[in-house]
Amino acid sequence: MIVILKENHTPQQFDSLCGWLKAQKLDIQVNRGYRQTVLGLLGDTTQLDADLLRALEIVEDVKRVSEPYKKANRKFHPANTVITVGDAEIGGGEPVLIAGPCSVESREQILAIARLVKDAGAKLLRGGAFKPRTSPYDFQGMRAEGIELLLEAKKDTGLPIVTEIMDISQLPLFADVDVIQVGARNMQNFELLKELGRGDKPILLKRGLSSTVKELLMSAEYIMAGGNSKVILCERGIRTFETATRNTLDISVVPVLHELSHLPVIVDPSHATGVYRYVKPLAVAAIAAGADGLIIEVHNDPEHALCDGPQSLKPGAFAEVAELVRKITPFAVR
Ligand code: PEP
Ligand code: MN
């Protein structure tokens, strides 16, 4: 339930209302906007008389919320959430570019790519250390050593790093990681989401291969319910009947998620398509639709990449995408 307060209420009226609501065993999420204060009531509100609340001097309006996600819901929190990482403000209006290889492969590889993507305008460096591969015989990532190398690249370039966690047991290795990625395959690993919710690091939450928007938002809710409100939603293509591309990029979720949630929404055109030639047009489409950023795979030698070479951009092509993003940003629909 949402309670919108009148603009000119007194602190006494506010305290008295909150005291009464707490006595009803409800948690109160207070959102103070520029002019209006909105209370989100969490807990069992079925017994609460909305008309009684509405009649109070301090109350402007009361709305029941039917969606099961509360903390991720824009109705509870009308203003956009902005997540600051290094120089980047994700959700702050300027699209943020995250770029780097699918996997960290060596010191030379990650340092070279980090410098190149930084020069092209990336604000964060991506790179997998723990890789969820379909085949157990494929390269599984450099694991702890991969994280060490990412940290070295961070020190060298100043770029904050984004890397994927696959299991709670790996969490101690992520102490200096700036943004923890939960990959598509782990979107509903609820124990992992709960653990990440107890921390305060930004979480890049990728949409599951066959997950609905509601399921994605419920996974965000798992993290937020634990107290961590820094969740970045990521559309990375979903599985459909179409086989011409690796997945089908669901561009429509950009405006849909922005309407339903206050969390930033970014798009991954690399995993969405699986083909480097399609990354640029879909990156442009995502920005035009209002995405808060892009996460793009970039490799300096894609032909020999240990993972996802066919969808990786060479640094020059990434620089072209970055330039195009800057040009179309003023025309993006928000
Ligand atoms: C990745 O970003 O490296 C990755 C594995 O992506 P996804 O979880 O979207 O497949
Ligand atoms: Mn990849």
Side-chain angles (χ1 to χ4, degrees):
M1 186 182 274
I2 287 165
V3 182
I4 302 162
L5 304 186
K6 286 195 180 136
E7 269 179 50
N8 53 358
H9 62 266
T10 65
Q12 290 79 0
Q13 285 177 312
F14 181 84
D15 291 344
S16 133
L17 174 62
C18 290
W20 182 74
L21 290 168
K22 279 183 193 147
Q24 314 296 309
K25 298 205 166 46
L26 294 169
D27 281 337
I28 309 168
Q29 188 185 314
V30 182
N31 299 294
R32 288 190 195 279
Y34 181 56
R35 291 168 65 182
Q36 240 166 2
T37 301
V38 177
L39 305 183
L41 306 187
L42 305 169
D44 182 11
T45 56
T46 48
Q47 304 303 319
L48 213 58
D49 184 342
D51 288 332
L52 191 78
L53 267 177
R54 213 173 269 119
L56 297 176
E57 180 74 30
I58 176 177
V59 174
E60 169 101 28
D61 201 5
V62 177
K63 289 184 181 144
R64 283 207 181 269
V65 179
S66 50
E67 296 90 352
Y69 47 92
K70 309 287 183 200
K71 294 190 183 252
N73 199 320
R74 194 181 277 283
K75 285 186 193 155
F76 274 68
H77 189 294
N80 289 335
T81 284
V82 179
I83 300 175
T84 305
V85 188
D87 280 353
E89 293 198 334
I90 307 169
E94 201 60 37
V96 171
L97 298 182
I98 306 172
C102 179
S103 321
V104 180
E105 298 170 12
S106 68
R107 168 180 284 110
E108 296 67 38
Q109 177 243 21
I110 194 66
L111 283 176
I113 298 174
R115 290 170 189 157
L116 290 162
V117 298
K118 184 184 179 178
D119 287 348
K123 292 277 185 240
L124 287 92
L125 173 68
R126 65 148 287 148
F130 294 95
K131 292 305 304 175
R133 303 302 301 276
T134 303
S135 165
Y137 307 115
D138 285 340
F139 176 58
Q140 303 286 310
M142 290 182 78
R143 306 176 72 85
E145 197 186 345
I147 294 191
E148 285 304 316
L149 293 176
L150 280 167
L151 291 171
E152 207 176 315
K154 171 182 170 176
K155 209 166 159 193
D156 184 74
T157 57
L159 289 181
I161 55 172
V162 183
T163 193
E164 177 167 352
I165 191 165
M166 284 175 59
D167 189 81
I168 299 176
S169 62
Q170 297 157 355
L171 199 53
L173 295 169
F174 284 68
D176 297 320
V177 167
D178 300 279
V179 177
I180 302 180
Q181 174 171 318
V182 174
R185 290 152 192 86
N186 263 316
M187 190 202 85
Q188 288 191 317
N189 181 340
F190 298 120
E191 288 302 317
L192 177 62
L193 300 178
K194 280 195 261 184
E195 190 59 37
L196 296 174
R198 287 189 268 271
D200 68 349
K201 279 195 195 288
I203 308 298
L204 195 165
L205 179 63
K206 292 190 127 188
R207 182 181 183 182
L209 275 64
S210 304
S211 299
T212 63
V213 164
K214 186 169 162 189
E215 285 162 344
L216 172 61
L217 289 171
M218 288 310 290
S219 290
E221 191 76 13
Y222 257 96
I223 300 169
M224 299 176 85
N228 185 356
S229 56
K230 295 181 208 154
V231 181
I232 303 155
L233 303 171
C234 180
E235 161 62 28
R236 45 77 73 205
I238 48 172
R239 191 162 278 186
T240 67
F241 54 82
E242 184 53 73
T243 54
T245 46
R246 183 173 176 181
N247 291 291
T248 300
L249 182 61
D250 183 5
I251 283 282
S252 59
V253 299
V254 176
V256 169
L257 285 171
H258 276 151
E259 187 170 284
L260 298 176
S261 176
H262 51 89
L263 296 172
V265 180
I266 69 166
V267 168
D268 173 348
S270 309
H271 291 89
T273 57
V275 179
Y276 78 91
R277 293 185 305 284
Y278 307 149
V279 169
K280 185 171 172 176
L282 292 191
V284 169
I287 295 299
D292 298 295
L294 298 168
I295 179 164
I296 297 181
E297 286 188 343
V298 177
H299 202 289
N300 51 357
D301 184 12
E303 291 82 4
H304 297 102
L306 295 182
C307 182
D308 285 349
Q311 68 192 30
S312 298
L313 293 183
K314 289 187 180 166
F318 172 68
E320 278 174 32
V321 172
E323 179 59 26
L324 209 45
V325 165
R326 280 190 284 276
K327 282 194 185 138
I328 63 159
T329 296
F331 306 101
V333 180
R334 282 173 183 278

